[in-house]
DNA sequence: TGCGTCTCGCTAATATATCAGTTGTCCGAT
DNA sequence: ATCGGACAACTGATATATTAGCGAGACGCA
């Protein structure tokens, strides 16, 4: 067994991003924006031409998107943008609730002041943005940063990144649901409740607040399914 | 938007498994068995010859293994089997604890009798196997089935499968740690405690029992690192 | 008209070739 | 002796070609 090899990349001229990653990010963005709607056939020939790349990195990108649940590759046949699947939503929600409640329990037992300060700052900025309906992108970004700050407070920033990748269908639902009256106020109130209970050293209270907060993401799925049936997998 | 397209594959002659998947499973097995030890350089030319496949499915397989944290691909350079990284272990453990405690809380609040029956049956079989030191593979399989039964009891079988893929480094640690005296008894006792508390409708008790049980997976990491330093990433 | 089979065009998986970048070795200069 | 630069061999990423399979439409028969 050789000596300890370098486990970090030396500074160099390596391309920071592969073509595949760029294609993946762009297609993912377009799917989440509902620009590429469910059941859209993704033609590799067309996409390769559009992106001016060969089939290999495009293939890599599509495989990643399939892992995210955003596309489904039918072998030797075609590739479709998926419909939102309630099963998948429930599984993603479960994972998210499990992880985020564990995070806030740990924070309530052992606070990390810089992380809580960051989270509180995000909350303050979000509070200001509630009154500015044109700043949804910024609000969403702060929302993500709020949750990331909590994860980093328990040293689990990478877990947060991993979970983000799985949130495709929840994000698509949120996109369908915009703008929903009172929703932003509800989110801000939820964040405040969570932080208050963490700071009150109340693990189960914080977990309950987080659970309630996250339930907002799926509380309107049935209504959305009725309103946009073509975006959802038909139930048995 | 077209009519609801078929979302299941019609029975047909499609290959059930891709070459890439087969290669992935084999390499993953060999890494987890510590047959391919950390820092081993994986030569694509050699592997393609060994498996008698072209570079493309081999590339697919290696990319999946990289996502599992088992190999690291240095662009334009080489591909190595990873050392076990403490950071990665902690993240995997976090995710596992979060998910499994959430599962048992839910089961304690709302038991699923078939799932609990399955779990109890696994426990009984494991109890018998403790006295048969040559049956580790079977014991591990029952262990996995025990946990799967719990996940299925809350309708989250797919989440269990997802988590399994991330367990590579924990499984490698367990492999290094075999046979550890009293370990099997400890596992069996943990399973029993978990089930008892679920059946006693004690969510927090069940969560605590699961937390204690899972902590066994990482309690000996420091000792293993001292014993097998070449298998672990050096700490800063 | 409806159903089954066949054919062809299309697609994804794999094979092979080429390009882009890394790394190790050798040689020359100090 | 040591260090730096050049070059060649090697590797992974991408491009292109070929193979394997799917599915829709057309045709024939009852």
């Amino acid at each position: 067994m050789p000596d300890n090899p370098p486990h970090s990349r030396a500074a160099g001229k390596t391309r920071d991003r592969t073509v595949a990653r760029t294609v993946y990010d762009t297609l993912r963005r377009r799917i989440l924006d509902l620009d590429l709607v469910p059941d859209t056939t993704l033609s590799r020939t067309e996409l390769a031409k559009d992106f001016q790349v060969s089939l290999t990195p495009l293939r890599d990108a599509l495989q990643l998107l399939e892992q995210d649940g955003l596309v489904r590759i039918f072998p030797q046949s075609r590739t479709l943008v998926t419909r939102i699947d309630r099963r998948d939503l429930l599984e993603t929600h479960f994972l998210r609730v499990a992880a985020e409640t564990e995070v806030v329990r740990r924070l309530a037992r052992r606070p990390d002041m810089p992380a809580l300060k960051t989270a509180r700052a995000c909350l303050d900025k979000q509070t200001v943005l509630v009154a500015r309906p044109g700043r949804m992108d910024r609000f969403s970004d702060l929302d993500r940063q709020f949750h990331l700050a909590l994860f980093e407070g328990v040293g689990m920033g990478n877990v947060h990144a991993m979970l983000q990748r799985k949130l495709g269908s929840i994000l698509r639902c949120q996109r369908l649901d915009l703008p929903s009256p009172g929703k932003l106020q509800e989110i801000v109130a939820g964040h405040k409740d969570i932080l208050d209970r963490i700071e009150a050293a109340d693990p189960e209270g914080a977990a309950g607040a987080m659970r309630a907060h996250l339930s907002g993401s799926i509380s309107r799925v049935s209504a959305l399914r009725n309103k946009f049936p073509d975006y959802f997998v038909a139930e048995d």
Side-chain angles (χ1 to χ4, degrees), chain A:
Chain A
M1 192 169 297
D3 288 348
N4 204 15
H7 275 266
S8 58
R9 164 148 312 282
K13 292 184 288 189
T14 308
R15 288 181 297 189
D16 290 341
R17 296 184 60 83
T18 59
V19 172
R21 184 59 197 245
T22 298
V23 173
Y24 163 78
D25 287 342
T26 304
L27 287 177
R28 180 178 162 93
R29 181 78 266 146
R30 290 183 61 194
I31 293 169
L32 295 187
D33 283 347
L34 303 178
D35 177 26
L36 291 174
V37 297
D39 294 332
T40 302
T41 296
L42 300 179
S43 156
R44 295 190 187 195
T45 309
E46 292 292 331
L47 288 174
K49 198 185 309 175
D50 290 346
F51 284 105
Q52 298 199 15
V53 298
S54 70
L55 293 177
T56 309
L58 175 57
R59 181 162 179 274
D60 288 348
L62 290 174
Q63 284 180 341
L64 285 176
L65 288 167
E66 189 175 40
Q67 285 172 42
D68 290 352
L70 294 177
V71 308
R72 181 162 180 188
I73 299 167
F74 293 85
Q76 315 298 342
S77 179
R78 93 202 103 165
T79 298
L80 298 180
V81 174
T82 55
R83 291 179 171 216
I84 299 164
D85 183 340
R86 183 168 163 275
R87 159 111 268 127
D88 178 54
L89 279 179
L90 290 180
E91 288 168 1
T92 304
H93 180 65
F94 170 87
L95 207 41
R96 200 173 172 211
V97 168
E100 300 240 14
T101 54
E102 180 71 15
V103 164
V104 296
R105 280 194 191 91
R106 292 189 181 193
L107 282 176
R109 293 197 181 100
R110 186 171 176 173
D112 178 280
M113 303 321 298
L116 294 180
K117 183 172 173 182
T118 302
R120 187 65 76 173
C122 291
L123 174 58
D124 291 343
K125 288 172 192 166
Q126 282 179 302
T127 304
V128 171
L129 285 178
V130 167
R132 306 187 184 179
R135 303 295 306 275
M136 271 310 305
D137 284 355
R138 179 62 178 144
F139 189 91
S140 294
D141 191 47
L142 286 167
D143 193 71
R144 193 180 47 79
Q145 284 177 40
F146 174 88
H147 288 275
L148 174 60
L150 297 184
F151 275 80
E152 286 181 338
V154 295
M156 294 292 149
N158 288 335
V159 175
H160 180 262
M162 184 221 95
L163 288 175
Q164 287 295 116
R165 263 197 66 194
K166 295 188 180 300
L167 288 185
S169 288
I170 287 185
L171 294 176
R172 286 197 286 177
C173 279
Q174 289 176 357
R175 185 76 177 195
L176 284 176
D177 206 19
L178 294 176
S180 172
K183 183 70 180 182
L184 301 191
Q185 288 91 334
E186 194 179 303
I187 290 170
V188 166
H191 284 187
K192 182 175 186 303
D193 196 17
I194 291 161
L195 281 186
D196 289 347
R197 289 167 191 259
I198 290 172
E199 286 164 1
D202 174 11
E204 289 310 311
M210 179 59 83
R211 190 180 300 268
H213 171 57
L214 295 177
S215 72
S217 293
I218 63 165
S219 57
R220 289 181 39 80
V221 171
S222 293
L224 289 176
R225 278 191 58 246
N226 289 334
K227 191 173 175 185
F228 304 102
D230 291 339
Y231 282 73
F232 290 81
V233 174
E235 300 276 318
D236 293 338

